[in-house]
Amino acid sequence: MINRNDLPLVSLHSMNTTHFDEIAIINLLLVQIDTKVNYETLSLTLEKLIEHIYQHFSSEEKLMKDTQYPSFNMHKADHDKVLNQARYAEMEWRNKKDVNLLNEYIREEFIPWLDQHIKAMDTPMADFISQF
């Protein structure tokens, strides 16, 4: 589980809200993994997470474009890579139905990436955008 208080904050409230919404879905997914809910329920939550990730990234990318953020290409490339990885993890889940692989992806790849991404990329982006 991700504790809200452990998530790094950025200087834009809307971005923090998006991050909080995302960790709520991640936490739900983790509870479902731990309690071994059925395949269909877990699949729906995973779909919801991937849709949220897509909307999250699209929103940030629009902000970056609108403010001509100088590191847009690097930031977007990181988004694209992670979204593709998330979609691949979903495909693996649907094909193999291996909850251990899904659990490993969420806990060992996505969560650490989210923390690092917020610190290294979202924080400077939010600081730049908040000047406008």
Side-chain angles (χ1 to χ4, degrees):
M1 299 283 286
I2 305 171
N3 184 324
R4 244 178 100 130
N5 296 325
D6 294 337
L7 201 67
L9 297 178
V10 300
S11 58
L12 288 176
H13 177 73
S14 62
M15 288 178 68
N16 291 323
T17 300
T18 298
H19 294 152
F20 291 147
D21 292 345
E22 196 158 290
I23 64 166
I25 300 168
I26 292 167
N27 285 340
L28 173 60
L29 188 62
L30 292 174
V31 166
Q32 291 175 341
I33 288 170
D34 291 345
T35 59
K36 298 177 177 33
V37 298
N38 64 51
Y39 171 82
E40 292 78 19
T41 301
L42 199 52
S43 296
L44 287 173
T45 304
L46 183 56
E47 281 178 31
K48 184 177 179 180
L49 175 61
I50 291 173
E51 178 59 27
H52 190 278
I53 292 168
Y54 174 78
Q55 294 300 328
H56 166 190
F57 292 174
S58 296
S59 170
E60 282 186 11
E61 290 162 13
K62 182 178 182 334
L63 280 172
M64 288 188 283
K65 281 182 183 177
D66 290 350
T67 59
Q68 298 179 350
Y69 181 60
S71 296
F72 172 81
N73 290 332
M74 180 177 64
H75 199 135
K76 182 173 181 355
D78 197 42
H79 284 172
D80 291 346
K81 178 188 83 172
V82 168
L83 184 56
N84 285 333
Q85 288 171 339
R87 287 177 173 154
Y88 182 79
E90 180 186 26
M91 182 186 72
E92 287 283 288
W93 164 248
R94 295 203 178 272
N95 290 332
K96 296 181 180 176
K97 297 174 179 61
D98 185 339
V99 73
N100 295 321
L101 283 177
L102 180 59
N103 185 46
E104 183 179 312
Y105 168 72
I106 297 296
R107 292 182 197 269
E108 296 179 23
E109 292 183 46
F110 189 79
I111 292 172
W113 170 84
L114 181 61
D115 181 70
Q116 186 59 35
H117 181 82
I118 293 170
K119 290 174 183 172
M121 295 205 173
D122 285 353
T123 297
M125 182 196 91
D127 291 346
F128 178 86
I129 291 171
S130 65
Q131 295 174 15
F132 291 90

